[in-house]
Amino acid sequence: MRFAIIAAGNGSRLAAEGADLPKPMLSLGGMPMIERLAGIFLNCGAERVAVIVNPTQNETVGFMRALQTRMPLDLVVKETPGPMHSLLELAPFLDGEPFCATTVDTVFQQSGLEALLEHARTCGADGVMGVTSYADDEKPLYVDTDEGMMIRAFLDSRGDSRFVSAGVYCLPPVALDVLRSAVADGERRMRHFQRRLLEYGLELSAFDMGRVIDVDHLADLEEARRLIGDCR
C-alpha cells in the first residue's frame, strides 16, 4: 500500500487567529504536524510517503526538503484549488497499488490508523473510509451506512447517519481513474469524488477510528494535543 499526505492548503483561518507558523509546521507531539503524520505512516508500513505542500509557505517547503534527507518522501510543491486536486497531483506516486491518503490537519492516534489498515486488508471491500462519531468539522460530510458498516451514501446533512467522514481514505488503484474523471468534469470538492466512487460501483466499508480532530482553528489544535496526550 502507498501513502499520501495532502498539505497544500493556505491555513488562512489559523493565520487569522494568530498562528505564527503555517498549519503543517504547528507543533503536535513535540514535532511539526506534518512530520508526525509522515512518521505514523512509516510506522504503519509505508516504504515511501508522497506529500504535496503549498509553495507560498517557505517554512514548510524548506522543512520538507530537509526532512527528505531523513525520511523516504516524494515531495510535490504546488498550489491547488483544493484537496481533490492535490490528490491528483500525487497520483503518479500512487498509481498501480492500493493507497491510503489523508490531509495534514487530520489528527488521530496511530492505533486508530493501524486498526483501519488491518480492516482494509481483511474486510473484503474495495476500499475503506475512516469515520468518526465526533463531528468537529465546520461542514462535516455525513456517512450513511448499513448494519454491516458498508457505505450507502455521503450526505451533506445528518439524516439518520451515525458517523461523519474522518478524512482518511484507503482506496484501490481504480479510484485514481475515478478521481481523474471527476476533475475533468469540473468537480472541486473531495466529497464529490467520494460520491463518484459509489456511483462507479465500488463497495466501500466504513471503519470507526474513534475520536479524530480536524484542525482548522487554534482551539482544534489544543484539542488535538489533548487527544494524543501532548501535555504542554
Side-chain angles (χ1 to χ4, degrees):
M1 179 171 286
R2 301 187 180 182
F3 292 78
I5 299 173
I6 298 168
N10 292 311
S12 55
R13 285 171 289 192
L14 280 164
E17 293 177 8
D20 57 357
L21 289 170
K23 184 188 292 188
M25 297 299 296
L26 294 173
S27 179
L28 191 63
M31 66 188 72
M33 187 184 300
I34 194 167
E35 181 180 7
R36 175 183 179 269
L37 182 54
I40 286 175
F41 279 170
L42 292 170
N43 290 342
C44 289
E47 294 183 0
R48 301 192 65 80
V49 180
V51 186
I52 182 169
V53 298
N54 192 312
T56 67
Q57 297 178 354
N58 294 329
E59 299 97 327
T60 304
V61 174
F63 178 81
M64 293 306 293
R65 293 204 187 283
L67 193 62
Q68 281 184 294
T69 67
R70 297 189 286 111
M71 287 184 173
L73 305 176
D74 296 304
L75 183 63
V76 175
V77 181
K78 186 172 183 178
E79 193 165 8
T80 70
M84 192 172 76
H85 291 75
S86 291
L87 182 58
L88 184 61
E89 293 295 331
L90 296 177
F93 302 104
L94 308 175
D95 266 323
E97 290 187 26
F99 65 92
C100 177
T102 190
T103 54
V104 71
D105 55 2
T106 302
V107 179
F108 44 79
Q109 298 277 17
Q110 180 174 310
S111 59
L113 182 65
E114 290 170 343
L116 181 144
L117 293 173
E118 178 62 22
H119 180 71
R121 284 190 288 266
T122 60
C123 71
D126 296 316
V128 174
M129 298 287 192
V131 297
T132 177
S133 56
Y134 180 71
D136 75 321
D137 197 297
E138 293 178 347
K139 294 182 179 179
L141 177 63
Y142 296 96
V143 183
D144 180 43
T145 62
D146 64 17
E147 292 182 356
M149 291 291 282
M150 297 301 294
I151 297 174
R152 294 185 293 207
F154 296 102
L155 306 170
D156 292 325
S157 57
R158 179 176 292 278
D160 296 327
S161 304
R162 293 185 292 147
F163 300 106
V164 300
S165 173
V168 182
Y169 320 104
C170 288
L171 295 171
V174 70
L176 294 175
D177 294 331
V178 179
L179 175 66
R180 293 182 180 102
S181 173
V183 171
D185 289 344
E187 300 286 10
R188 298 179 65 87
R189 302 189 68 188
M190 205 68 160
R191 61 187 60 193
H192 297 150
F193 164 54
Q194 291 170 251
R195 287 169 181 150
R196 284 214 177 194
L197 294 172
L198 293 178
E199 292 167 4
Y200 185 83
L202 293 182
E203 294 186 346
L204 302 178
S205 173
F207 183 81
D208 188 356
M209 296 183 68
R211 199 169 195 191
V212 177
I213 308 296
D214 179 39
V215 178
D216 286 324
H217 301 280
L218 289 178
D220 299 329
L221 182 62
E222 293 307 314
E223 190 68 22
R225 286 169 176 163
R226 285 191 288 271
L227 173 68
I228 67 168
D230 182 9
C231 301
R232 308 177 69 80

